[in-house]
Amino acid sequence: MVSKTLMDFFKPPPIKRPKTSNYCNNESQNDVVLTPEQKLKIEFNKSLANAKRNLKICSDKLSKADSIGEEYVKLEELLVEDTWLEAMQGELQKVYARNLCKFVESEICGAGVPIYPPQHLIFNALNTTPFDRVKVVIIGQDPYHGPGQAMGLSFSVPDGVKVPSSLTNIYKELHKDLGCSIPSNGNLERWCVQGVLLLNAVLTVRKHQANSHAGKGWEKFTDAVIQTISQKKKGVVFLLWGNYAQAKAKLIDGVKHHILKSAHPSGLSAHRGFFGCKHFSQTNQILEKLGMPPINWQL
């Protein structure tokens, strides 16, 4: 049974219709005046509904495969977000991607070790944050390799799972930078729905074996994702934490986009430049200067 990972964070308040006086008939009583906050909430809920739709499509494909005794759904069938399929047209049909698909299939079906995240969440980052909504990119390395941790979003864990140390440090920096209260859960999906792409460089991993799927083709695919964003969009903020993520800067047009670098938020390096980087407030300042709504980082 596939567990749900998306939550209804909030519903838009009932839309109040403007009062009309008896002596003024210039505006139709059906006209609705929305505040900027109401518009943001409506847009948020539309994006959330789209993400839930994509998740259900992937879950249904897995259920259908299971019902006919198949252990695996082909990778190219699990990337279902239309805007990414258009932006990355043909990428998963390339030779390297077909070899990657064969490798992942063999790992799921024959490795004898659980592969994370669950299949329906492998492309969760792309299926949750459409290409046309991407405003911020946070790059991780590979999925968490403990049971129940990986959900296809860098640094994020499902509700009810202990918050990892790196994410705890991210919350601490958010508190110091923007005054955000520190949440008790590690589910970052609310960021994704607002346009924050939480992209790992490698999208699958063996249980308890960090980097076990590195060098198998995922890096080439996610590099293509980064390059596609760089080439086809403008004004995206890339948050590159640690040496691994910073190496991706060569894929990004620094004239068209904004690149913010710091140490990694892990316990080993957060004190060497992540704490105090103020990347969250800087990101919102950049977005506002570009005329885009800032990210509500509070979870």
Side-chain angles (χ1 to χ4, degrees):
M1 180 177 178
V2 178
S3 60
K4 295 182 178 179
T5 61
L6 285 170
M7 299 177 63
D8 291 321
F9 302 110
F10 50 80
K11 296 181 180 179
I15 297 172
K16 295 182 178 179
R17 301 186 184 278
K19 294 182 179 179
T20 56
S21 62
N22 292 330
Y23 57 83
C24 181
N25 235 356
N26 292 333
E27 292 186 1
S28 166
Q29 291 187 9
N30 292 324
D31 290 342
V32 177
V33 178
L34 298 177
T35 66
E37 291 77 15
Q38 287 175 319
K39 290 179 181 178
L40 281 177
K41 287 182 179 181
I42 290 171
E43 191 63 34
F44 178 95
N45 279 276
K46 286 181 180 178
S47 298
L48 179 60
N50 182 68
K52 293 175 75 171
R53 167 190 163 275
N54 287 343
L55 178 64
K56 186 177 187 305
I57 291 172
C58 292
S59 299
D60 287 348
K61 289 185 177 185
L62 265 296
S63 297
K64 182 178 179 181
D66 184 63
S67 69
I68 58 176
E70 295 182 357
E71 299 179 72
Y72 178 80
V73 174
K74 292 181 179 180
L75 281 183
E76 60 264 33
E77 296 180 16
L78 295 174
L79 177 56
V80 298
E81 168 51 44
D82 291 337
T83 60
W84 279 110
L85 289 172
E86 182 178 354
M88 301 281 292
Q89 193 170 16
E91 191 67 31
L92 285 172
Q93 279 68 54
K94 293 181 178 179
V95 174
Y96 86 86
R98 291 190 178 279
N99 291 334
L100 170 64
C101 292
K102 291 177 182 178
F103 167 76
V104 175
E105 179 178 3
S106 67
E107 286 285 283
I108 291 172
C109 298
V113 177
I115 303 302
Y116 301 137
Q119 289 180 62
H120 68 290
L121 297 176
I122 288 175
F123 290 114
N124 198 22
L126 303 180
N127 288 334
T128 303
T129 308
F131 174 75
D132 58 2
R133 293 274 296 170
V134 174
K135 299 192 291 188
V136 182
V137 179
I138 300 178
I139 298 174
Q141 191 162 352
D142 73 335
Y144 295 120
H145 52 78
Q149 289 183 305
M151 57 184 297
L153 309 174
S154 62
F155 296 101
S156 181
V157 293
D159 293 306
V161 175
K162 182 181 177 182
V163 178
S165 60
S166 292
L167 184 52
T168 296
N169 288 335
I170 291 171
Y171 287 165
K172 289 178 180 178
E173 175 59 21
L174 265 171
H175 178 67
K176 292 174 66 177
D177 186 12
L178 291 173
C180 294
S181 60
I182 297 178
S184 59
N185 72 85
N187 191 331
L188 305 180
E189 288 169 329
R190 180 175 174 177
W191 294 357
C192 301
V193 175
Q194 295 179 76
V196 181
L197 178 63
L198 298 178
L199 181 69
N200 278 319
V202 176
L203 300 188
T204 54
V205 69
R206 281 187 173 194
K207 177 182 178 182
H208 296 323
Q209 297 180 40
N211 297 314
S212 51
H213 285 186
K216 304 298 184 181
W218 277 127
E219 295 92 340
K220 191 167 184 177
F221 175 77
T222 54
D223 281 357
V225 170
I226 296 169
Q227 288 175 310
T228 298
I229 295 171
S230 178
Q231 292 166 7
K232 297 184 178 182
K233 295 184 73 72
K234 186 177 181 180
V236 175
V237 183
F238 290 83
L239 305 184
L240 307 183
W241 299 335
N243 293 333
Y244 185 89
Q246 289 172 22
K248 304 295 183 181
K250 66 180 183 292
L251 305 172
I252 304 162
D253 185 340
V255 176
K256 291 172 59 182
H257 302 283
H258 304 269
I259 300 173
L260 303 180
K261 298 180 181 181
S262 78
H264 194 275
S266 72
L268 297 174
S269 59
H271 291 280
R272 299 202 294 267
F274 179 76
F275 289 139
C277 69
K278 297 186 180 297
H279 278 184
F280 304 102
S281 60
Q282 287 186 61
T283 294
N284 281 353
Q285 289 165 12
I286 291 168
L287 294 176
E288 287 178 317
K289 285 181 180 178
L290 294 170
M292 290 188 281
I295 303 299
N296 179 3
W297 297 102
Q298 180 65 65
L299 297 170

